[in-house]
Amino acid sequence: MGITFNNYQRGDARHFDSWIHFALTRNVEELHLDFLEGRRECPPLHYYRLPDFISSSTSLMVLALIRCFIGSSINFKLISLKILTLERVYFSNESTSDLISSCRNLERLSLTECESLDGHLDVFIMNA
């Protein structure tokens, strides 16, 4: 399931949250989300903030996020995730490692133009 939210406005976030929640309650295995704010670039702190409930999906196997913010309050448990694609995603300081370490079955990871609040984006991958 791929969704591009054109002309994203911060005030519309609750509507997007409900659409994403609906998809996850239907156990989608593949979710592509692109939050495009019109034709202009917006500052990363104005990006759509990923809701906490997405972090515990047990059905998601493929997740692609474009132009969103991932905060540190999210406790990730994406145990089925195999493919993770992140483009222009803005992270809080610890959320990068929390996200990736929660994906025990991750086979492919793609990071494109991602940033962290502190300016450092560290990725540590440990093989079992």
Side-chain angles (χ1 to χ4, degrees), residues 69-74 76 91-101 116-118 120-122 124:
F69 177 80
I70 299 177
S72 60
S73 64
I74 298 180
F76 291 100
F91 292 95
S92 67
N93 297 341
E94 300 85 25
S95 58
T96 314
S97 59
D98 291 345
L99 170 60
I100 295 169
S101 65
S116 177
L117 284 175
D118 65 2
H120 295 64
L121 186 62
D122 298 323
F124 300 99

Side-chain angles (χ1 to χ4, degrees), residues 27-69:
N27 295 320
V28 296
E29 294 181 354
E30 190 167 332
L31 190 59
H32 298 258
L33 300 172
D34 183 351
F35 299 94
L36 180 62
E37 185 175 332
R39 291 192 177 119
R40 62 181 176 82
E41 285 299 312
C42 65
L45 288 177
H46 291 173
Y47 282 7
Y48 171 75
R49 181 178 288 269
L50 197 68
D52 293 351
F53 59 78
I54 201 169
S55 66
S56 58
S57 170
T58 56
S59 62
L60 273 180
M61 297 176 70
V62 177
L63 178 61
L65 300 172
I66 303 172
R67 294 179 199 91
C68 67
F69 177 80

Side-chain angles (χ1 to χ4, degrees), residues 9-11 23 30 32-33 61 78 86 112 115 121 125 128:
Q9 302 290 321
R10 289 173 68 181
E30 190 167 332
H32 298 258
L33 300 172
M61 297 176 70
L78 298 170
L86 305 172
T112 306
E115 296 182 52
L121 186 62
I125 298 175

